[in-house]
Amino acid sequence: MFGAGSAVRVFRASPDDWARVRALRLAALADTPDAFWSHYDDEVEQPEAFWRERLEQSDADTLIAVVEGTHGHADVALLTLVPPRAVEADADADDALWVVSVWVAPQGRGRGVGDALLDAAADHARRRGIARLVLDVGDHNEAAIRLYQRHGYEPTGEAFTFPEPRQHITEHRRQKLL
């Protein structure tokens, strides 16, 4: 679909991009369900207002990666930055942002899309004065672990399991100092 002259562009989604975010998120949940705590069935029937509200949050930013080439363009990746309290109720760290909902479509994998997305997230966080990025990654997701390692995300030693009935899925936490 995309040739050698293709370029990756990453931008911050606005509420008007809700349909694009919805399409990417549902594709992610269908493609790699064990990478996310949410389920496809939990989000597929959500109305436009649900998606717009996510994108209207002043302390969260959703980034979309687009591959642009001579034969058109396609949205191929998604990443959201949220404050710690959005992930852990008792967390209150002003120096950190959580990297959540990371997904690269199959046609974008191995093409530098994940790299561009993580670079854009780090740049965005630096502009906001954030000192570190934190994420959880599935222990089974070797490609994502390699991507995060390349970008300086180091293990913190914390590990988790998904809630029942998916407690067989384990994750570990990584962070990157900016």
Side-chain angles (χ1 to χ4, degrees):
M1 178 176 180
F2 300 104
S6 299
V8 179
R9 179 177 59 90
V10 178
F11 70 96
R12 181 180 180 269
S14 75
D16 290 339
D17 296 311
W18 73 269
R20 296 170 81 174
V21 170
R22 178 186 185 274
L24 284 166
R25 176 68 174 170
L26 294 178
L29 293 171
D31 177 59
T32 53
D34 287 345
F36 306 101
W37 284 52
S38 298
H39 298 274
Y40 179 88
D41 292 340
D42 297 334
E43 297 187 14
V44 68
E45 297 297 327
Q46 293 294 341
E48 177 180 337
F50 169 85
W51 300 98
R52 283 186 174 277
E53 183 177 306
R54 278 187 171 184
L55 296 169
E56 289 169 351
Q57 296 175 22
S58 62
D59 59 356
D61 296 297
T62 297
L63 305 179
I64 294 175
V66 180
V67 173
E68 299 173 331
T70 56
H71 300 292
H73 67 279
D75 296 341
V76 294
L78 183 72
L79 176 152
T80 300
L81 296 165
V82 297
R85 69 182 172 283
V87 178
E88 297 179 329
D90 60 350
D92 190 29
D94 290 336
D95 71 329
L97 282 176
W98 279 80
V99 177
V100 299
S101 301
V102 180
W103 180 73
V104 177
Q107 70 267 31
R109 295 175 190 157
R111 305 177 59 83
V113 173
D115 294 309
L117 196 58
L118 288 177
D119 287 344
D123 290 345
H124 185 77
R126 282 186 198 98
R127 283 193 303 274
R128 289 182 54 181
I130 299 300
R132 64 191 173 99
L133 294 173
V134 182
L135 57 80
D136 292 338
V137 60
D139 295 333
H140 66 281
N141 196 340
E142 294 176 15
I145 292 168
R146 285 191 305 274
L147 173 66
Y148 297 139
Q149 285 174 330
R150 273 198 319 271
H151 285 267
Y153 286 84
E154 298 291 333
T156 66
E158 299 169 88
F160 313 92
T161 61
F162 273 35
E164 289 188 23
R166 299 189 305 157
Q167 67 274 16
H168 63 282
I169 301 171
T170 58
E171 293 184 320
H172 66 277
R173 185 157 295 158
R174 290 178 169 263
Q175 72 174 357
K176 173 182 179 145
L177 301 178
L178 299 175

